[in-house]
Amino acid sequence: MASLKGVEVFGEPEATTTSGRQTQMRETEIITVITNFAFKVSLTNGVGSVVPEMSTVEIGPVLDVVPYVLSDGYTINLTLIPSLTEFLGYDKPPDEHFSRNDNRVQVPVVLPRFSVRQVVTTLNLWDNQTVILGGLKKYFTVNGNAVAGKPDSSDKEMLVFITATIVDPAGNRVHAEDDLPFAQKGIPSQPSQPK
């Protein structure tokens, strides 16, 4: 994929699965974040100290897909669950002041912030068509035709491109482009979406 200014490609994974079997693609990383501070007293010398408590978190995009080849042999029903988890940093803790006479230890408060965006949708494609999921709202386009919803209006938008192709057990395409002239001009009828 050619690089464009302001565009970041998370990954271009490929997967082959059987009809009705879920597959998952991840382009994530594991990070360590401070989730709390604790006051601990040493058993050897009785001196206390404030120590951070940490946790690992997986961030980045994840795509779950469940494809079904429909009885016509040309249509693929896809259940798609894209999600994006981002670490946004730490919120400023509330100001808490103790008087010197309280004999209490003030442990710092840490407030990690995460953003999790996810959508679940089901749609139909003809063999070798591409769907574009945008904004992680119920919005998608099949061959340039908007199918439902509106994109998110944030300054960053994650787009997920998925091309579904029917292959035989050897991994060869079942249908040639000449077998699919109807797929060049439109999209198959769509399953009803929950309201």
Side-chain angles (χ1 to χ4, degrees):
M1 175 179 267
S3 62
L4 300 171
K5 185 178 179 186
V7 174
E8 178 183 356
V9 176
F10 286 120
E12 297 180 42
E14 292 184 17
T16 303
T17 189
T18 58
S19 182
R21 182 163 182 163
Q22 179 176 345
T23 188
Q24 185 177 81
M25 290 159 267
R26 297 172 172 269
E27 186 67 31
T28 60
E29 66 178 287
I30 306 293
I31 63 168
T32 302
V33 294
I34 299 170
T35 56
N36 197 16
F37 284 98
F39 183 74
K40 298 204 177 179
V41 178
S42 170
L43 296 176
T44 56
N45 60 11
V47 175
S49 61
V50 175
V51 294
E53 294 177 345
M54 310 232 194
S55 183
T56 57
V57 179
E58 185 175 21
I59 61 169
V62 176
L63 175 64
D64 287 289
V65 180
V66 183
Y68 289 93
V69 177
L70 299 184
S71 60
D72 65 7
Y74 293 94
T75 308
I76 304 164
N77 175 269
L78 292 174
T79 298
L80 303 169
I81 309 169
S83 62
L84 177 63
T85 303
E86 296 175 288
F87 176 60
L88 303 176
Y90 296 95
D91 270 345
K92 184 177 181 208
D95 289 331
E96 291 185 22
H97 298 286
F98 296 105
S99 69
R100 294 184 190 266
N101 299 332
D102 284 344
N103 283 337
R104 292 192 277 178
V105 174
Q106 183 175 353
V107 177
V109 175
V110 63
L111 303 169
R113 291 181 47 223
F114 296 90
S115 167
V116 179
R117 293 185 282 164
Q118 182 181 60
V119 69
V120 178
T121 194
T122 301
L123 56 94
N124 292 337
L125 296 175
W126 277 312
D127 184 18
N128 208 42
Q129 281 190 320
T130 299
V131 63
I132 304 168
L133 296 175
L136 289 180
K137 295 257 185 205
K138 287 196 177 181
Y139 169 83
F140 48 90
T141 305
V142 180
N143 284 0
N145 299 307
V147 178
K150 278 185 169 178
D152 192 358
S153 61
S154 67
D155 58 333
K156 283 184 179 180
E157 185 172 357
M158 186 171 105
L159 300 176
V160 180
F161 294 77
I162 301 160
T163 301
T165 305
I166 300 172
V167 296
D168 64 19
N172 301 310
R173 283 192 61 187
V174 171
H175 304 110
E177 289 298 320
D178 295 342
D179 298 337
L180 305 164
F182 49 86
Q184 306 301 320
K185 296 181 180 165
I187 59 174
S189 62
Q190 296 299 308
S192 60
Q193 296 288 329
K195 295 181 181 186

